[in-house]
Amino acid sequence: MKEKRKSTPKAKVLTAVLLVLFLGSCVVLIYAVFTDVLRLNPSTASTEPSSTVAVTETTALTETAATTTEAATTASEAAETTTPDSSLTLGTTYNADYWVEHKAEYGTPGLAVLFGAKTQGVFVSFDGSSFAVNVVNGNESYETETGTFSFNEDGNIELSFDNSDISRVAVVESENGVITSMDFPLAITDTTLRLSLAD
């Protein structure tokens, strides 16, 4: 009679590992067949890519529509604030009342923050098709930014700075065809001066 051998702990562990691996691979294979991950079913394989493309196209169209709506909303808001009128004209000198973004955030004019603590005033002069931003400091005036301007067909004023930046003026108020108040953007990002016509 043959004597039965007892299995060692190593053999038991090895057998358990092999059993787990075998059962795991069976489960994965069954899952792959039922979900058609391996693309074994030709009818499913041909329809899925087209549905993916359709979803992608729908997402792209939705994003484009949202962007277009945002742009239209921004344009309509700009139109409301600028109230473009082709019959408007500019005065020769406008005083800077405050720095728009600074006042919105801190509630103070901010001209001294923008141009220096000794700033006594800031004004913008228009001559022909040129403009200049002037700072009065210690009873002396000096130019900080210069360039040219032009009226567009829609009545908006486009600024072309000497450093090649281009911006648009937002007309706030006008009286008798003359612009009396405007938001004048500088070449520095997020820096707009609220100007009022000098008396």
Side-chain angles (χ1 to χ4, degrees):
M1 254 178 106
K2 291 185 180 178
E3 193 177 319
K4 286 187 179 178
R5 286 186 183 176
K6 289 186 179 178
S7 58
T8 63
K10 277 187 180 180
K12 287 181 181 178
V13 170
L14 184 60
T15 304
V17 168
L18 289 173
L19 188 60
V20 168
L21 287 174
F22 175 73
L23 292 174
S25 61
C26 287
V27 170
V28 169
L29 185 61
I30 292 168
Y31 174 78
V33 169
F34 279 109
T35 58
D36 200 28
V37 171
L38 301 174
R39 303 281 189 249
L40 298 175
N41 187 353
S43 62
T44 311
S46 63
T47 56
E48 276 192 24
S50 62
S51 64
T52 304
V53 170
V55 169
T56 307
E57 286 176 358
T58 305
T59 305
L61 288 173
T62 305
E63 289 174 359
T64 305
T67 306
T68 306
T69 306
E70 274 180 33
T73 305
T74 306
S76 65
E77 286 173 0
E80 287 174 11
T81 56
T82 57
T83 58
D85 183 356
S86 57
S87 63
L88 292 178
T89 58
L90 279 168
T92 54
T93 307
Y94 290 82
N95 293 323
D97 300 328
Y98 54 86
W99 174 11
V100 175
E101 291 82 3
H102 190 275
K103 186 163 186 182
E105 189 169 349
Y106 301 104
T108 57
L111 295 176
V113 175
L114 186 59
F115 296 106
K118 295 182 179 180
T119 301
Q120 296 170 321
V122 179
F123 65 95
V124 178
S125 58
F126 295 92
D127 183 21
S129 62
S130 301
F131 70 86
V133 179
N134 301 278
V135 177
V136 179
N137 190 339
N139 295 323
E140 291 182 4
S141 175
Y142 63 92
E143 294 179 347
T144 60
E145 293 185 10
T146 56
T148 59
F149 71 92
S150 60
F151 280 90
N152 293 335
E153 291 177 1
D154 58 3
N156 287 314
I157 303 168
E158 187 173 270
L159 305 175
S160 298
F161 291 87
D162 289 342
N163 67 356
S164 301
D165 284 351
I166 296 176
S167 298
R168 279 192 170 194
V169 170
V171 176
V172 178
E173 290 179 3
S174 63
E175 188 176 323
N176 298 325
V178 179
I179 298 170
T180 56
S181 180
M182 71 178 92
D183 284 343
F184 186 93
L186 299 180
I188 307 165
T189 306
D190 294 331
T191 310
T192 309
L193 299 179
R194 173 62 59 88
L195 303 181
S196 57
L197 185 62
D199 293 331

